[in-house]
Amino acid sequence: MKTLIALCIFAAATGARADGYGFRTPSGNIYCNGSLAGGAQGSSDISCSIVERGGPPAWPDPGNCPGVWGHHFDLGSTGPARVVCGPAPRKSTYTDVAPYGETGNFGDITCQSEKTGLTCRNRSGNGFFLSRRSQRVF
């Protein structure tokens, strides 16, 4: 996660271009991709996927998802988190790992990795919690 924090500091200092990042939880069951846009009008976003999950999906299946439902989550700088349709996720091979107990700031989004799961929240207070046992959007 320290690598990710350093990346965010670097990205914030580089101006108006967008920079991307990716990380996984220690189990490899949750992985995230995001981007940071610099400058005064900058924003950030993150997309996280959970490979193995249990319980009901955070949102009901809309019935028109040609992929898998309940495994992919998107969050922007402001506004609500979303559950999105996507391909079947596979275990991540990302080398950047968010150790349990660490918090990373990605522009307007903060993610905290805990043994109980991953929580990401934006500056509006919206976000999601992902764990093998349950997934929530708030």
Side-chain angles (χ1 to χ4, degrees), residues 6-60:
L7 172 65
C8 292
I9 292 169
F10 173 76
T14 59
R17 63 172 235 237
D19 289 295
Y21 59 89
F23 66 92
R24 66 175 176 86
T25 58
S27 69
N29 192 44
I30 300 169
Y31 57 92
C32 302
N33 292 296
S35 65
L36 301 165
Q41 301 299 318
S43 64
S44 51
D45 61 67
I46 193 166
S47 297
C48 294
S49 298
I50 182 164
V51 179
E52 294 178 19
R53 63 167 212 79
W59 282 355

Side-chain angles (χ1 to χ4, degrees), residues 24-115:
R24 66 175 176 86
T25 58
S27 69
N29 192 44
I30 300 169
Y31 57 92
C32 302
N33 292 296
S35 65
L36 301 165
Q41 301 299 318
S43 64
S44 51
D45 61 67
I46 193 166
S47 297
C48 294
S49 298
I50 182 164
V51 179
E52 294 178 19
R53 63 167 212 79
W59 282 355
D61 184 339
N64 62 353
C65 175
V68 297
W69 183 256
H71 290 263
H72 304 286
F73 297 78
D74 286 350
L75 182 64
S77 293
T78 59
R82 299 179 312 128
V83 180
V84 295
C85 180
R90 296 185 204 158
K91 215 152 200 172
S92 172
T93 58
Y94 286 148
T95 56
D96 283 336
V97 177
Y100 298 134
E102 292 288 328
T103 299
N105 294 306
F106 309 100
D108 295 320
I109 298 172
T110 300
C111 293
Q112 184 170 9
S113 176
E114 297 289 337
K115 286 185 180 183

